[in-house]
Amino acid sequence: SFSALCKLITVIAVNLYLVVFTPYWPITVLILTWLAFDWKTPERGGRRFTCVRQWCLWKQYCDYFPLKLLKTHDLSPSLNYIVACHPHGVMSHSWFGHFATEMSGFSKTFPGMTPYILTLGAFFWVPFLREYVMSVGACSVSQSSIDFLLTRRGTGNMLMVVVGGLAECKYGLPGSTTLFLKSRTGFVRTALRHGVALIPAYSFGETELYNQYIFTPGGFINRFQKWFQSMVHIYPCAFYGRGFTENSLGFLPYARPITTIVGKPLPLPKIENPSKKTVAKYHAIYVDALRQLFDQYKTKFGFSEAQELVVT
């Protein structure tokens, strides 16, 4: 996240400098021309580079927590799947490590499958940053992008959707099992339209990586957080982790183990125009499958038998 922010600031600053203070403004024009020409690539499967996904840096990244990826069922390379990932946490560190890199053993765990992390389209609006994001196999989460991957990229594709999104950040607290899922039905509708199986996946430990400062309910800052979320669907949580030394505060995640369980595929029928009632029916079936996955493994990762998955 920090590297992406640095790239964003650098690209904007350098191009403003070229345009305002130098005679090299044609460079910026060429960059913008290429951006316009290549605008649809994030919605057409992206442009991944295996060498980037295998950077030794990512090995250090995955070992830091460490990350562990487990599957419960084999997947067929002759089919496509939508993997619904929970929880989002604050930064979705586990989902990046597992599916945007090869260092947690994805290719060995799911032979013949190709992962596509679906993320915000805004990441692909900035030159150079978009290349960096696409190089690890990320694509836009737009409907046209998903349709393309499920119909024109052959088979053996796993589309990773972190369903709760940024709205779920406020639940990224140690011990939290709350998901922002009740109103998120688009992934179910898309799976029905294409007749592909949904796979629930849960990362035990993702919410343990940061603490948050909880402001007084109804206070000025709390009201601002709710207003900001209502405007842009992003909850501006005041999170913090550790610094560069063990007992300091900062924005690095705590080094706590994360185990991601990829559950059993849930086959869905192909319905080109599913009704709201039909979507709600299969959404409820999906939520039940996710609860079963959570209940099956929760005691192995520090939760009590009485702990329940909360869906809001």
Side-chain angles (χ1 to χ4, degrees), residues 10 19 31-32 36 50 59 69 101-102 109 111 119 122 125 132-133 147 151 157 169 176 188 193 198 247 266-267 285:
T10 300
V19 171
I31 291 173
L32 294 178
T50 303
K59 174 65 174 173
L69 179 64
T101 83
E102 292 292 339
T109 306
T119 188
W125 296 350
Y132 175 57
V133 175
D147 291 342
T151 59
N157 301 316
C169 288
S176 173
V188 178
R193 286 180 53 242
L198 278 176
N247 296 317
L266 180 65
I285 293 174

Tab-separated table of all heavy atoms in Angstrom, residues 10 19 31-32 36 50 59 69 101-102 109 111 119 122 125 132-133 147 151 157 169 176 188 193 198 247 266-267 285:
chain	number	residue	atom	x	y	z
A	10	THR	N	4.474	10.259	-6.875
A	10	THR	CA	5.598	10.501	-7.778
A	10	THR	C	5.120	10.792	-9.197
A	10	THR	O	5.587	11.743	-9.849
A	10	THR	CB	6.555	9.300	-7.793
A	10	THR	OG1	7.053	9.078	-6.468
A	10	THR	CG2	7.729	9.553	-8.734
A	19	VAL	N	5.120	19.544	-17.099
A	19	VAL	CA	4.186	20.426	-17.814
A	19	VAL	C	4.398	21.891	-17.446
A	19	VAL	O	4.381	22.776	-18.313
A	19	VAL	CB	2.733	20.001	-17.527
A	19	VAL	CG1	1.752	21.028	-18.079
A	19	VAL	CG2	2.458	18.633	-18.121
A	31	ILE	N	2.324	9.943	-22.423
A	31	ILE	CA	1.866	9.058	-21.341
A	31	ILE	C	0.341	9.007	-21.304
A	31	ILE	O	-0.267	7.929	-21.193
A	31	ILE	CB	2.426	9.534	-19.988
A	31	ILE	CG1	3.940	9.317	-19.941
A	31	ILE	CG2	1.745	8.802	-18.835
A	31	ILE	CD1	4.604	9.899	-18.710
A	32	LEU	N	-0.291	10.173	-21.416
A	32	LEU	CA	-1.753	10.218	-21.385
A	32	LEU	C	-2.354	9.568	-22.625
A	32	LEU	O	-3.425	8.954	-22.568
A	32	LEU	CB	-2.221	11.667	-21.254
A	32	LEU	CG	-1.871	12.355	-19.932
A	32	LEU	CD1	-2.337	13.800	-19.943
A	32	LEU	CD2	-2.484	11.605	-18.753
A	36	ALA	N	-4.944	6.426	-22.578
A	36	ALA	CA	-6.228	6.372	-23.288
A	36	ALA	C	-6.295	5.149	-24.199
A	36	ALA	O	-7.334	4.470	-24.272
A	36	ALA	CB	-6.417	7.658	-24.093
A	50	THR	N	4.778	-13.078	-14.815
A	50	THR	CA	5.126	-14.119	-13.857
A	50	THR	C	6.349	-13.748	-13.041
A	50	THR	O	6.430	-14.037	-11.841
A	50	THR	CB	5.368	-15.451	-14.582
A	50	THR	OG1	4.192	-15.798	-15.326
A	50	THR	CG2	5.672	-16.561	-13.600
A	59	LYS	N	8.402	-13.279	-1.025
A	59	LYS	CA	8.729	-14.359	-0.092
A	59	LYS	C	8.888	-13.801	1.311
A	59	LYS	O	8.376	-14.365	2.294
A	59	LYS	CB	10.016	-15.068	-0.556
A	59	LYS	CG	10.546	-16.118	0.402
A	59	LYS	CD	9.599	-17.290	0.553
A	59	LYS	CE	10.227	-18.380	1.412
A	59	LYS	NZ	9.276	-19.477	1.715
A	69	LEU	N	-1.835	-21.142	3.126
A	69	LEU	CA	-2.999	-21.356	2.262
A	69	LEU	C	-3.387	-22.828	2.286
A	69	LEU	O	-2.566	-23.705	1.994
A	69	LEU	CB	-2.675	-20.916	0.829
A	69	LEU	CG	-3.770	-21.086	-0.219
A	69	LEU	CD1	-4.974	-20.203	0.098
A	69	LEU	CD2	-3.219	-20.736	-1.620
A	101	THR	N	0.776	-13.169	-5.580
A	101	THR	CA	2.142	-13.666	-5.636
A	101	THR	C	2.108	-15.193	-5.680
A	101	THR	O	1.068	-15.808	-5.459
A	101	THR	CB	2.975	-13.220	-4.410
A	101	THR	OG1	2.730	-14.111	-3.301
A	101	THR	CG2	2.629	-11.802	-3.981
A	102	GLU	N	3.251	-15.771	-5.954
A	102	GLU	CA	3.357	-17.232	-5.984
A	102	GLU	C	4.053	-17.776	-4.741
A	102	GLU	O	4.358	-18.972	-4.669
A	102	GLU	CB	4.141	-17.666	-7.234
A	102	GLU	CG	3.415	-17.422	-8.544
A	102	GLU	CD	2.188	-18.302	-8.714
A	102	GLU	OE1	2.102	-19.356	-8.045
A	102	GLU	OE2	1.303	-17.934	-9.511
A	109	THR	N	-0.877	-25.551	-4.758
A	109	THR	CA	-2.132	-25.873	-4.077
A	109	THR	C	-3.273	-26.052	-5.067
A	109	THR	O	-4.114	-26.945	-4.910
A	109	THR	CB	-2.495	-24.761	-3.070
A	109	THR	OG1	-1.385	-24.555	-2.183
A	109	THR	CG2	-3.714	-25.140	-2.251
A	111	PRO	N	-3.194	-26.573	-8.834
A	111	PRO	CA	-2.539	-26.753	-10.138
A	111	PRO	C	-3.521	-26.553	-11.297
A	111	PRO	O	-4.664	-26.993	-11.249
A	111	PRO	CB	-2.048	-28.211	-10.079
A	111	PRO	CG	-2.900	-28.874	-9.043
A	111	PRO	CD	-3.200	-27.817	-8.033
A	119	THR	N	-9.989	-5.744	-8.108
A	119	THR	CA	-9.845	-4.614	-7.202
A	119	THR	C	-10.452	-3.353	-7.801
A	119	THR	O	-10.957	-3.364	-8.932
A	119	THR	CB	-8.354	-4.398	-6.863
A	119	THR	OG1	-8.238	-3.406	-5.842
A	119	THR	CG2	-7.563	-3.964	-8.091
A	122	ALA	N	-10.074	2.429	-9.667
A	122	ALA	CA	-9.256	3.632	-9.474
A	122	ALA	C	-7.765	3.324	-9.505
A	122	ALA	O	-6.952	4.184	-9.851
A	122	ALA	CB	-9.621	4.303	-8.148
A	125	TRP	N	-6.228	4.058	-12.986
A	125	TRP	CA	-6.358	5.378	-13.592
A	125	TRP	C	-5.023	6.111	-13.683
A	125	TRP	O	-4.921	7.113	-14.407
A	125	TRP	CB	-7.329	6.235	-12.781
A	125	TRP	CG	-8.738	5.721	-12.752
A	125	TRP	CD1	-9.265	4.709	-13.516
A	125	TRP	CD2	-9.799	6.179	-11.907
A	125	TRP	NE1	-10.581	4.506	-13.208
A	125	TRP	CE2	-10.945	5.399	-12.214
A	125	TRP	CE3	-9.899	7.161	-10.926
A	125	TRP	CZ2	-12.157	5.578	-11.573
A	125	TRP	CZ3	-11.121	7.335	-10.286
A	125	TRP	CH2	-12.231	6.564	-10.611
A	132	TYR	N	2.046	-1.580	-12.469
A	132	TYR	CA	2.502	-2.280	-11.275
A	132	TYR	C	1.401	-3.186	-10.730
A	132	TYR	O	1.635	-4.358	-10.405
A	132	TYR	CB	2.920	-1.246	-10.233
A	132	TYR	CG	3.315	-1.787	-8.885
A	132	TYR	CD1	4.330	-2.726	-8.745
A	132	TYR	CD2	2.697	-1.325	-7.730
A	132	TYR	CE1	4.707	-3.200	-7.500
A	132	TYR	CE2	3.066	-1.787	-6.476
A	132	TYR	CZ	4.067	-2.730	-6.365
A	132	TYR	OH	4.432	-3.191	-5.130
A	133	VAL	N	0.175	-2.652	-10.657
A	133	VAL	CA	-0.951	-3.420	-10.123
A	133	VAL	C	-1.318	-4.574	-11.055
A	133	VAL	O	-1.541	-5.704	-10.611
A	133	VAL	CB	-2.166	-2.496	-9.892
A	133	VAL	CG1	-3.380	-3.297	-9.450
A	133	VAL	CG2	-1.831	-1.432	-8.842
A	147	ASP	N	-17.274	-10.292	-16.607
A	147	ASP	CA	-17.897	-10.982	-17.747
A	147	ASP	C	-16.839	-11.455	-18.738
A	147	ASP	O	-16.925	-12.565	-19.271
A	147	ASP	CB	-18.889	-10.050	-18.441
A	147	ASP	CG	-20.124	-9.771	-17.589
A	147	ASP	OD1	-20.378	-10.540	-16.638
A	147	ASP	OD2	-20.830	-8.789	-17.882
A	151	THR	N	-15.987	-15.460	-19.745
A	151	THR	CA	-16.479	-15.897	-21.052
A	151	THR	C	-15.408	-15.939	-22.139
A	151	THR	O	-15.532	-16.707	-23.097
A	151	THR	CB	-17.618	-14.975	-21.533
A	151	THR	OG1	-17.140	-13.619	-21.615
A	151	THR	CG2	-18.801	-15.028	-20.579
A	157	ASN	N	-9.970	-20.398	-14.472
A	157	ASN	CA	-9.811	-19.067	-13.886
A	157	ASN	C	-10.484	-19.005	-12.515
A	157	ASN	O	-11.618	-19.450	-12.342
A	157	ASN	CB	-10.422	-18.005	-14.791
A	157	ASN	CG	-9.782	-17.990	-16.167
A	157	ASN	OD1	-8.560	-18.068	-16.288
A	157	ASN	ND2	-10.599	-17.899	-17.210
A	169	CYS	N	-13.777	-2.291	6.470
A	169	CYS	CA	-12.557	-1.940	7.213
A	169	CYS	C	-12.838	-1.677	8.691
A	169	CYS	O	-12.019	-2.009	9.554
A	169	CYS	CB	-11.897	-0.704	6.599
A	169	CYS	SG	-11.116	-1.002	5.000
A	176	SER	N	-12.567	-9.763	15.952
A	176	SER	CA	-13.811	-9.500	15.230
A	176	SER	C	-14.129	-10.618	14.244
A	176	SER	O	-13.249	-11.138	13.560
A	176	SER	CB	-13.719	-8.173	14.469
A	176	SER	OG	-14.853	-7.997	13.641
A	188	VAL	N	-23.185	-12.928	-6.201
A	188	VAL	CA	-24.099	-14.057	-6.380
A	188	VAL	C	-24.843	-13.917	-7.710
A	188	VAL	O	-24.990	-14.888	-8.467
A	188	VAL	CB	-25.100	-14.146	-5.209
A	188	VAL	CG1	-26.089	-15.302	-5.437
A	188	VAL	CG2	-24.365	-14.332	-3.891
A	193	ARG	N	-25.606	-15.611	-13.385
A	193	ARG	CA	-25.676	-15.248	-14.801
A	193	ARG	C	-24.743	-16.111	-15.651
A	193	ARG	O	-25.035	-16.418	-16.801
A	193	ARG	CB	-25.320	-13.771	-14.985
A	193	ARG	CG	-26.416	-12.809	-14.518
A	193	ARG	CD	-26.017	-11.359	-14.722
A	193	ARG	NE	-25.597	-11.122	-16.088
A	193	ARG	CZ	-24.378	-10.722	-16.433
A	193	ARG	NH1	-23.457	-10.544	-15.507
A	193	ARG	NH2	-24.081	-10.515	-17.682
A	198	LEU	N	-19.580	-20.819	-6.780
A	198	LEU	CA	-19.045	-19.881	-5.790
A	198	LEU	C	-18.247	-20.662	-4.756
A	198	LEU	O	-18.656	-21.745	-4.333
A	198	LEU	CB	-20.187	-19.146	-5.076
A	198	LEU	CG	-20.819	-17.941	-5.758
A	198	LEU	CD1	-21.986	-17.434	-4.926
A	198	LEU	CD2	-19.800	-16.835	-5.961
A	247	ASN	N	8.168	-2.769	19.869
A	247	ASN	CA	7.198	-2.187	20.800
A	247	ASN	C	6.765	-0.774	20.422
A	247	ASN	O	6.192	-0.058	21.245
A	247	ASN	CB	7.780	-2.184	22.220
A	247	ASN	CG	8.035	-3.592	22.740
A	247	ASN	OD1	7.200	-4.476	22.554
A	247	ASN	ND2	9.178	-3.797	23.377
A	266	LEU	N	-19.582	-24.198	-4.456
A	266	LEU	CA	-21.039	-24.253	-4.352
A	266	LEU	C	-21.625	-24.087	-5.756
A	266	LEU	O	-21.696	-22.972	-6.279
A	266	LEU	CB	-21.539	-23.125	-3.442
A	266	LEU	CG	-23.039	-23.007	-3.210
A	266	LEU	CD1	-23.567	-24.229	-2.470
A	266	LEU	CD2	-23.358	-21.735	-2.420
A	267	PRO	N	-22.013	-25.178	-6.414
A	267	PRO	CA	-22.517	-25.093	-7.793
A	267	PRO	C	-23.800	-24.262	-7.863
A	267	PRO	O	-24.684	-24.390	-7.011
A	267	PRO	CB	-22.789	-26.552	-8.162
A	267	PRO	CG	-22.015	-27.361	-7.173
A	267	PRO	CD	-22.008	-26.557	-5.911
A	285	ILE	N	-28.050	-19.328	0.758
A	285	ILE	CA	-27.349	-20.618	0.691
A	285	ILE	C	-25.850	-20.405	0.826
A	285	ILE	O	-25.160	-21.160	1.525
A	285	ILE	CB	-27.690	-21.342	-0.635
A	285	ILE	CG1	-29.167	-21.752	-0.656
A	285	ILE	CG2	-26.799	-22.562	-0.828
A	285	ILE	CD1	-29.624	-22.336	-1.984
